[in-house]
Amino acid sequence: MIRAPKPADVPLYADAVRRSAEHVGRWNPVEPDGLADLLERQGPGLRTFLIVDLDTGGLVGKCNVANIVMGRFCNGALGYDSYLPFVGTGRMSEGMRLVVDRCFAPLEYGGLGLHRLEINVQPDNDRSIALAKRLGFRHEGHTPRMLFLDGAWRDHDRFALTAEEWEPLPRG
């Protein structure tokens, strides 16, 4: 399942990030104490979803929908981390399907009403690229020196998907 984070999730989040530091740290900053700040920044331009395993209540991953712009653009950028021990189990893919569906769902169904989503991934991050492709995202281009991560400007490949390309999940 997916849900918005809440203050009570701070210890669960910190534990998951610490446990997964080596896995996450190759591609993204490792910030086990970052959830409190993330909670404060939630608003029209940023929505965070936690992906939670229904069987154990464990934190599978986190997805930020950032740089949300409405009006004629209706676009957002997805950034995500997956956490051990759930890496490679398919749960992150399931959760991300729910996130994408929520992003494209109309406001009256509790969605974000977006038309386009993009994912920017470092070219060597094979797992994230595979996830983007499993979700139906298409490669749109390459952006040199896009983000400053781990002490250097990192290139990223850009993947995108529009609402017309998405097969909505059944609404129940």
Side-chain angles (χ1 to χ4, degrees):
M1 76 167 184
I2 61 170
R3 63 174 176 78
K6 51 188 184 268
D9 293 320
V10 167
L12 176 71
Y13 178 83
D15 182 55
V17 172
R18 281 189 194 97
R19 183 176 56 248
S20 307
E22 188 175 325
H23 169 71
V24 170
R26 184 165 177 212
W27 310 111
N28 289 318
V30 175
E31 300 172 331
D33 300 323
L35 187 61
D37 176 62
L38 197 56
L39 286 167
E40 289 181 17
R41 294 189 296 124
Q42 297 299 295
L46 175 66
R47 294 284 300 274
T48 298
F49 295 95
L50 298 182
I51 300 169
V52 179
D53 181 60
L54 288 174
D55 293 335
T56 65
L59 190 55
V60 172
K62 170 195 74 181
C63 180
N64 288 323
V65 185
N67 303 325
I68 298 172
V69 178
M70 297 308 286
R72 294 187 184 270
F73 197 27
C74 292
N75 187 73
L78 303 181
Y80 46 84
D81 291 324
S82 61
Y83 304 125
L84 299 171
F86 301 102
V87 174
T89 65
R91 288 174 178 89
M92 188 67 180
S93 293
E94 290 176 33
M96 288 299 294
R97 277 188 193 87
L98 295 171
V99 170
V100 171
D101 200 63
R102 179 81 54 90
C103 288
F104 286 141
L107 297 173
E108 60 266 22
Y109 289 107
L112 300 183
L114 297 176
H115 174 258
R116 182 177 181 279
L117 294 170
E118 58 182 64
I119 297 172
N120 295 289
V121 181
Q122 292 177 57
D124 294 337
N125 190 340
D126 295 331
R127 282 182 174 260
S128 281
I129 290 171
L131 175 56
K133 289 180 177 180
R134 271 194 306 278
L135 293 169
F137 283 72
R138 65 188 138 60
H139 185 259
E140 277 198 334
H142 179 79
T143 307
R145 299 169 302 283
M146 181 183 175
L147 287 175
F148 193 77
L149 297 167
D150 196 26
W153 288 98
R154 306 290 176 183
D155 295 353
H156 282 69
D157 284 333
R158 185 178 56 260
F159 296 83
L161 182 69
T162 62
E164 293 87 356
E165 297 166 303
W166 179 252
E167 182 68 37
L169 299 175
R171 307 252 181 259

